[in-house]
Amino acid sequence: MPKSAHYSRRLFLTHSSLGLLAFAGMPTLLRAMGGMQAMPTITPNKASPNFRPDVELELYCRSASVPILPGKSTLVQQYTGKLINGPSGTLVEIPNAYLGPLIHLQKGQKVRIHLHNNLAEPTITHWHGLHVPAEMDGHPRYAIAPGQTFVYEFEVLNRASMNIYHPHPHEATARQVYHGLAGALFVHDSEEAALGLPSGDYEIPLVIQDRRFDEDNQLLYAAGMHGMHDRMMGYYGDRILVNGRPDFTIDVDTRAYRLRVLNGSTARIYKLGWDDGTPITVLGVDGGLLEVSENKPYVMLAPGERLDVWADFTGRAVGSQLVMRSLPFSGVLPKMAERMQRGMGGMGGGHQMGMMGGMMHGLALPVGSDFPIFTARVKRKVSDSPTLPKQLSTIHRYGVGDTANANKPVPIGISEGPMAMLLNGRPYAFDDVQPNERIRLNTVQLMEIFHAHGGGHGGKASVEYKAQEPSEQNGSMQHGGMGGMGGGRRGHGMGMHGGSEDGGMGMMGGMHGGGEQGGMMGKGGGMGGMGMMMSMAHPIHLHGQSFQIVSRSMAPGNEEDYDSVRHGFIESGLKDTVLVMPGETVRIIKPFQDFKGLFMYHCHNLEHEDMGMMRDFLVE
Ligand code: C2O
Ligand code: CU
Ligand code: CU
C-alpha cells in the first residue's frame, strides 16, 4: 500500500467525497497515510472471581438532557454512577450538572467499576492520572459497543491527587468529552489526611470547561466548513462553565478553602489569576501535593492539568468578592490564528485573507484574552481558620543518574501540519510501536518533548521517522518534520475555493504563513519556515505514573510570548500533563513500573489527540 507518495492527492479526494473538509474526513486520511490498523475487537473484561473489591460501583455512559442555560435544557452525554459497595462518600453527585459524579478513593483500595455503555456509539473510560494495569487504562482498543459492559479492577496505587475520568475511544475522545463525559476522581491518603487541609464544605472541586451553544441551548461542536480549522487549533467555546454551570459563584466564609481545579476543556488553555492581584497559593498539581506550597502570580492550566489551591478569605469584608480570571497571554496559537480569534483576520494577511476572513471569524473569547472564570463572594464572618502547613508532603525524586537512558532521552517530537498532528513523525496507529517507543519494565526514563520542525530543534527533526517508501514527501519530512507537507510541495492555491488538490493545502499555507500569500510558503517549500509558522502549544500527557519536570528550554525568538506565560508553570510537583510552548523543549523523568503493556502518550488538546497526535509506549 502506498503510504505517502500520493498523500495529498488522497487527502483531497477523501475530502471532496465527504464534503469539503468535513468533520469526519480527517481520520480517514490519516489512516490512508499511516497505514493505520483497524482497532481489533476485544471481548470486554469481566469481573474476576479472585478480585475482592473494597469499592464496587456502576458507571453508566448515557445521553441525557440537563439544564445548563436559562430556558431549554441541553442534550448531553454524561456519566452517572451507583455505589454497590464501599464507603458511603465514594460517589458524590454534582447537583444539576452534566459532569459525572465525583469519585473518592483511598490509596490501597481495591476498586471494581462496571462501565455500562448506554450511548449509541462505542466508548471506553480512561482514569487519567491513575497508575493502573494497561488492560484497565481505557486504551481505545478496549472500547465497548452500545449495550456492552466493561469491568475494571485495580488497586489504587497513587498518592493523594485529583484525577480525571473521561472517554478515550478512537478518534472520538474530544467529541464525547465535549458533550459532557468527564468527571473528577480523587485519591486520598494518610499523608494528605495528616495535614488537616480544608475539607468537606471547605474543599471545592472546580472543573473548568468552555462550550458553545446554539439559540436552542444545544451544544455546537466542530463541524462543516469550520471543522478542520477547529480541529487544528482546537475547538473553543464562547462560554465558560464551572462544574457545568455558567457564571459560577461560590459563597465563602472568611477562612481558608482548598480549591481543586481541573481544566476539563478540550483545547482551551487558561492563565488563572485572582482579579485583585493576590498570588495563587499552590498546594499541588496533577500528581498530588507539592512538598511546600508555592505562591505564583498566576498559573497556566492546560487541558488535562489539575491545580490544588489554598484560597484564604480571612480578613476579607463580608460582601466583598474575589474573581478568578483567565489573564491575558499570547503565543500558544500560531500568530495568524491568534489574530483571527481576535477578529483581526485581515491584518497582515495579504489579499488571500479575505477568503480566510470569511471562513473564520473572531471568537467571543479568544485564547489568551482576559475573562472571568468564577466568583467567590464573601458571605459570612467566622473566627477561625486552619493555617497553611509548612511541609505538605515528601516527593520521591529521581535524578538523571537514576534513569536507564541518561544520554539518550526518549524522544517525543511534536509536529503539526495542516492535515496532520503527529508525534515522532507518525499519526496514531494501533500496533505501530516503534523501537524508541519500547520501554523496559521497571525502568526510569529520561524523556525529551520538543518541536520536531524547528524552534531550535532542527537537528532532531528526523527522529525515527521511517520512510515507508522513498518519495519526495518522506524526504522532506526527514529534514523538517511535517510542517510543509503539501504546502511545501504543491500549495499555491486557494484551498477553499480552489477545487484542486493544490488548493486544499495552499490555503493552509496562506492561513498560517501570515505572509503575503500561501503560495509563497508553498514555493519556498520551507519546512522549517512553515513549521515555525504553524507552531503552537501542546499539553503533552503520558499515561501511567506521574513524571518530574527536569528542565525547560526555549528557542530564541519567542521571548515576548514566553514571558506572558512562563511564571505560571509549576515544576516542583509530579505531573502527568505538561504544556509545551512553541519553540520549547521540556525534559522529564518518568518511571515505568509495575505494569507491562501499551500506555499512551498524546496531546491533551483533545482535538489534536483525535487527529492523531497520539502514540503508544509498549512497556515490556
Ligand atoms: Cu486524559 Cu489519554 O487522556
Ligand atoms: Cu491519561
Ligand atoms: Cu496539541
Side-chain angles (χ1 to χ4, degrees), residues 158-433:
N158 289 61
R159 62 203 290 264
S161 50
M162 180 188 204
N163 303 281
I164 319 164
Y165 61 101
H166 67 73
H168 222 300
H170 191 49
E171 296 170 350
T173 297
R175 183 169 44 79
Q176 291 189 3
V177 169
Y178 183 84
H179 285 91
L181 287 164
L185 186 157
F186 294 91
V187 174
H188 304 280
D189 66 9
S190 52
E191 188 181 45
E192 175 194 49
L195 296 172
L197 293 170
S199 62
D201 288 348
Y202 307 110
E203 181 180 13
I204 302 177
L206 298 163
V207 180
I208 307 173
Q209 298 177 306
D210 60 337
R211 294 292 185 264
R212 223 182 286 178
F213 297 86
D214 67 14
E215 313 79 64
D216 265 340
N217 286 355
Q218 301 311 305
L219 289 167
L220 290 167
Y221 190 57
M225 292 289 280
H226 296 255
M228 187 178 76
H229 178 260
D230 286 339
R231 289 164 67 81
M232 284 175 47
M233 296 304 133
Y235 189 74
Y236 300 97
D238 53 11
R239 268 192 183 263
I240 302 301
L241 305 178
V242 175
N243 297 349
R245 318 298 321 158
D247 309 314
F248 192 76
T249 304
I250 48 175
D251 290 339
V252 298
D253 296 347
T254 56
R255 54 160 283 151
Y257 282 74
R258 185 179 182 193
L259 308 179
R260 312 293 302 267
V261 189
L262 151 57
N263 183 351
S265 313
T266 63
R268 187 177 288 275
I269 297 166
Y270 303 90
K271 175 177 174 175
L272 304 176
W274 295 115
D275 68 335
D276 69 348
T278 301
I280 296 193
T281 303
V282 179
L283 298 175
V285 289
D286 308 350
L289 294 164
L290 308 182
E291 291 187 305
V292 291
S293 64
E294 278 190 47
N295 283 333
K296 303 294 264 182
Y298 58 84
V299 176
M300 299 304 297
L301 201 69
E305 289 187 303
R306 288 88 76 199
L307 185 67
D308 194 345
V309 173
W310 176 270
D312 195 349
F313 301 96
T314 306
R316 290 189 181 261
V318 171
S320 68
Q321 60 177 42
L322 194 61
V323 178
M324 181 164 280
R325 301 187 68 86
S326 188
L327 304 172
F329 61 96
S330 61
V332 307
L333 292 178
K335 282 295 155 200
M336 183 53 62
E338 217 162 58
R339 284 196 287 266
M340 295 284 177
Q341 289 201 349
R342 288 162 202 260
M344 298 183 287
M347 261 180 62
H351 63 276
Q352 301 221 353
M353 294 332 287
M355 177 270 293
M356 297 310 303
M359 177 183 161
M360 282 170 289
H361 32 96
L363 291 186
L365 290 181
V367 175
S369 59
D370 185 8
F371 54 84
I373 296 174
F374 71 90
T375 302
R377 290 188 302 212
V378 182
K379 267 293 157 70
R380 198 164 62 117
K381 193 169 168 58
V382 296
S383 51
D384 55 55
S385 171
T387 51
L388 178 59
K390 280 212 170 54
Q391 173 88 26
L392 295 169
S393 76
T394 319
I395 292 179
H396 179 263
R397 252 172 244 284
Y398 298 101
V400 176
D402 300 320
T403 62
N405 60 336
N407 301 316
K408 195 177 175 283
V410 176
I412 300 182
I414 296 167
S415 39
E416 59 275 268
M419 294 298 170
M421 292 288 177
L422 310 178
L423 290 176
N424 291 334
R426 305 176 79 85
Y428 186 72
F430 178 67
D431 211 8
D432 185 42
V433 174

Side-chain angles (χ1 to χ4, degrees), residues 3-5 7 33 415 420 422-427 452-453 458 460-469 471-486 489 525 527-528:
K3 299 289 189 203
S4 52
Y7 172 56
M33 175 192 170
S415 39
L422 310 178
L423 290 176
N424 291 334
R426 305 176 79 85
H453 49 61
K460 296 264 174 83
S462 60
V463 177
E464 283 301 319
Y465 178 80
K466 290 256 173 58
Q468 303 291 327
E469 53 181 58
S471 77
E472 200 182 329
Q473 194 70 64
N474 288 333
S476 38
M477 286 174 65
Q478 283 179 331
H479 292 119
M482 296 298 296
M485 199 170 60
R489 288 190 61 215
M527 306 301 301

Side-chain angles (χ1 to χ4, degrees), residues 126-129 137 166 168 541-544 576 602 604:
H126 166 57
W127 319 98
H128 177 137
D137 196 43
H166 67 73
H168 222 300
H541 168 55
L542 284 76
H543 286 208
D576 57 52
H602 59 86
H604 221 277

Side-chain angles (χ1 to χ4, degrees), residues 232 414 416 421 536-540 603-605 608-609 613:
M232 284 175 47
I414 296 167
E416 59 275 268
M421 292 288 177
M536 56 185 290
H538 301 273
I540 300 297
C603 183
H604 221 277
N605 176 317
H608 290 177
E609 173 187 332
M613 192 175 264

